[in-house]
Amino acid sequence: MCESNNNKELLNNKLLPERRLHFEKLKEQSDCLELILQFIDPFECVSKFSIVCKDWMEIIQKLNCKVSLPNLRFEKFQIYNQFYKSKFFNNVQEITMNGFDCEIVKKIINCTKCVGLKKLLLYNCKSKGAFTIAECENMSKLTSLIFINSRIHNIGANKIVESEKLFNLKELELPRCKVNHQFALTLSKKMLNLTTLNLEGNNLKAEGVKYLSFTTTLKNLTYLNLKRNKIGKEGAHYLSTSQFLTNLKHLNLEGNSIENEGLIHICNSSNLTILSTLNLSGNLIDDEGIKIFVHCPNFKNLKKLFLANARGNLNFRIREIKNNYSLFAISIMANSLFLKNLVYLELVDDCLDKEGAQRLCEMAPGLSYLLDDFIEEEDIEYNNYIGEQYNNPNDSQDEKDEEEN
């Protein structure tokens, strides 16, 4: 019996180098496994993958993974509890949660599975949920935090930016989260490492832009989205005179009614010269504004330019905001010496004829995306409108409470 055990041990030792080599080869497949798991239901398939062999089991248990958890209202916590109790998903890098219940989510983000969490995306969250995130010990490695359609208000958003747990955050996105200039003031004193800031569909107005423009805190920003924030021409003026937003490469001002005067401020700025993407859709710009813009040397680095209308949505009481230029403006644009690097251009509907399209393509040889029916080679459609700011009549009391805070 002893001799049999010795022989078995000897055999295992001989096979060990080969087994190690096999395991190393399987490790090379881990990236492939990670990719596959993003396109299938992980809760059904991970356990099946793991029984292929012991090595796969070990790889899957340690695999960096992305997890998307569905709406709580319909799943009744079953999926959340299944994820929490699973022996897999032990190294979650990104997690998306829809339908935010503080207790179950607090339980998840504080568990050992999320110690290395780098990206967190939350839909339909309220201020208590923001408190949960701000106080979580597992947030020290988080670099990207996104709240979408979440009524966290100033009180929740302030808690986020004041949190000592989120010191590594580089991307903060709060589209349609019901924040205003008071949050902008708090943000202007915090979050030193931010490179991406998305505040689309809120209510910053010019005062909020002023706080964001004149602070060294946001000097590392390369992406700024202020779509539908009612900043007007005064807000455009603050942006143009900022000495701290000089690293911006992507600026979205859609639907802010900055008018020609605001556009002139942007054109005259010597601090926005490295922009590669600029969205000026829905800003009441007419032919005179276009004439000034296309002859401005500060935009010679632009690759993507949006000059369309800002679409509305009657269901959500969002009004359309237009640009008011004509075919004449297109002929002026086609003679620009400073827009030759454009590869993407969106224009107002029905302001472009076949001749104008051809001249624009001659002006910018690299122009491959032109929003117009005459360019048959490219089937370009408007991106789905995501700028609706949901305004529920029942929210009036919540907003009053928020103003008091």
Side-chain angles (χ1 to χ4, degrees):
M1 184 72 176
C2 181
E3 184 178 353
S4 175
N5 289 336
N6 289 336
N7 289 337
K8 186 179 292 186
E9 183 177 351
L10 181 62
L11 180 62
N12 286 336
N13 288 335
K14 288 181 178 179
L15 291 176
L16 188 58
E18 182 179 348
R19 178 175 171 77
R20 283 177 177 172
L21 179 61
H22 176 61
F23 184 63
E24 290 301 321
K25 289 182 178 179
L26 283 171
K27 277 185 174 180
E28 295 175 2
Q29 299 179 27
S30 64
D31 289 341
C32 182
L33 284 176
E34 185 176 358
L35 179 63
I36 291 172
L37 291 174
Q38 306 311 311
F39 295 96
I40 59 179
D41 186 344
F43 299 103
E44 292 183 5
C45 298
V46 166
S47 59
K48 295 177 182 177
F49 280 16
S50 67
I51 61 176
V52 170
C53 63
K54 185 177 179 181
D55 294 332
W56 273 40
M57 166 77 82
E58 293 178 12
I59 289 174
I60 290 176
Q61 285 181 330
K62 299 176 182 178
L63 199 64
N64 294 340
C65 60
K66 303 176 184 178
V67 177
S68 181
L69 301 174
N71 199 315
L72 283 170
R73 290 177 297 176
F74 301 110
E75 298 296 331
K76 298 181 180 179
F77 308 111
Q78 293 178 7
I79 297 294
Y80 280 56
N81 284 321
Q82 186 179 352
F83 165 75
Y84 179 75
K85 296 177 181 179
S86 172
K87 62 182 177 181
F88 305 109
F89 312 108
N90 294 320
N91 191 17
V92 178
Q93 301 288 297
E94 299 183 16
I95 187 167
T96 299
M97 290 183 275
N98 191 349
F100 199 94
D101 180 272
C102 293
E103 292 306 315
I104 188 66
V105 174
K106 184 176 182 179
K107 191 176 181 181
I108 287 176
I109 64 173
N110 280 289
C111 72
T112 56
K113 296 177 184 292
C114 296
V115 169
L117 194 64
K118 294 181 180 179
K119 182 175 182 179
L120 178 59
L121 194 159
L122 303 164
Y123 290 87
N124 304 314
C125 176
K126 294 186 179 180
S127 56
K128 288 183 179 179
F131 293 169
T132 299
I133 302 302
E135 296 167 359
C136 177
E137 295 293 337
N138 285 346
M139 297 293 105
S140 62
K141 295 182 180 179
L142 197 73
T143 58
S144 177
L145 178 59
I146 304 171
F147 289 82
I148 297 180
N149 295 331
S150 297
R151 302 176 195 178
I152 63 175
H153 297 277
N154 290 338
I155 189 171
N158 287 345
K159 192 74 172 180
I160 290 294
V161 300
E162 291 174 342
S163 172
E164 296 180 356
K165 318 292 185 183
L166 296 168
F167 54 86
N168 278 321
L169 207 62
K170 293 184 178 180
E171 300 179 4
L172 179 62
E173 301 193 31
L174 303 175
R176 301 174 296 283
C177 285
K178 294 189 175 294
V179 299
N180 58 28
H181 65 279
Q182 293 175 345
F183 164 70
L185 176 60
T186 304
L187 177 61
S188 68
K189 303 173 183 177
K190 305 288 182 180
M191 295 287 174
L192 295 173
N193 297 320
L194 284 185
T195 59
T196 295
L197 179 60
N198 179 358
L199 296 175
E200 173 189 328
N202 287 294
N203 195 29
L204 298 185
K205 298 185 178 179
E207 185 176 359
V209 176
K210 180 180 179 180
Y211 295 136
L212 299 180
S213 299
F214 301 112
T215 174
T216 57
T217 302
L218 301 178
K219 63 181 180 180
N220 294 317
L221 277 187
T222 60
Y223 177 96
L224 178 59
N225 186 348
L226 297 175
K227 177 179 178 180
R228 294 249 181 202
N229 267 280
K230 305 175 184 176
I231 72 170
K233 52 194 174 185
E234 185 180 357
H237 173 67
Y238 290 136
L239 286 173
S240 68
T241 54
S242 171
Q243 297 180 1
F244 307 110
L245 296 177
T246 55
N247 290 315
L248 280 182
K249 293 183 178 180
H250 307 276
L251 178 60
N252 189 341
L253 299 178
E254 179 178 335
N256 278 294
S257 302
I258 67 171
E259 304 179 3
N260 289 349
E261 184 177 341
L263 180 59
I264 292 172
H265 290 313
I266 298 295
C267 290
N268 290 336
S269 175
S270 59
N271 302 317
L272 300 173
T273 57
I274 65 170
L275 287 176
S276 62
T277 302
L278 179 59
N279 192 333
L280 294 170
S281 296
N283 276 294
L284 308 178
I285 298 169
D286 60 22
D287 290 352
E288 288 301 314
I290 295 295
K291 182 177 180 180
I292 294 170
F293 175 79
V294 300
H295 294 304
C296 177
N298 291 336
F299 299 119
K300 61 184 178 181
N301 293 314
L302 274 185
K303 294 186 178 298
K304 294 184 178 181
L305 176 61
F306 300 78
L307 288 168
N309 296 324
R311 293 188 170 185
N313 189 313
L314 295 178
N315 293 329
F316 295 99
R317 295 184 292 178
I318 304 295
R319 66 185 181 90
E320 181 181 32
I321 305 177
K322 295 185 176 183
N323 281 327
N324 302 315
Y325 56 85
S326 65
L327 280 168
F328 175 69
I330 303 303
S331 64
I332 298 173
M333 189 180 300
N335 292 319
S336 174
L337 299 174
F338 306 109
L339 298 178
K340 295 182 179 296
N341 290 320
L342 285 181
V343 298
Y344 188 102
L345 177 61
E346 283 195 13
L347 299 169
V348 170
D349 293 338
D350 302 324
C351 77
L352 185 63
D353 57 17
K354 191 170 185 178
E355 181 182 355
Q358 183 176 353
R359 292 184 62 190
L360 286 173
C361 291
E362 291 173 355
M363 179 271 295
L367 192 61
S368 56
Y369 294 90
L370 178 59
L371 188 62
D372 183 77
D373 294 335
F374 294 107
I375 309 299
E376 297 178 357
E377 291 79 10
E378 301 290 343
D379 183 17
I380 307 303
E381 297 179 355
Y382 279 110
N383 292 328
N384 291 331
Y385 181 76
I386 59 172
E388 295 90 2
Q389 180 181 357
Y390 180 69
N391 290 307
N392 190 317
N394 296 326
D395 289 342
S396 56
Q397 185 59 45
D398 291 341
E399 292 175 356
K400 289 179 180 178
D401 295 341
E402 175 62 19
E403 289 177 1
E404 292 177 2
N405 291 326

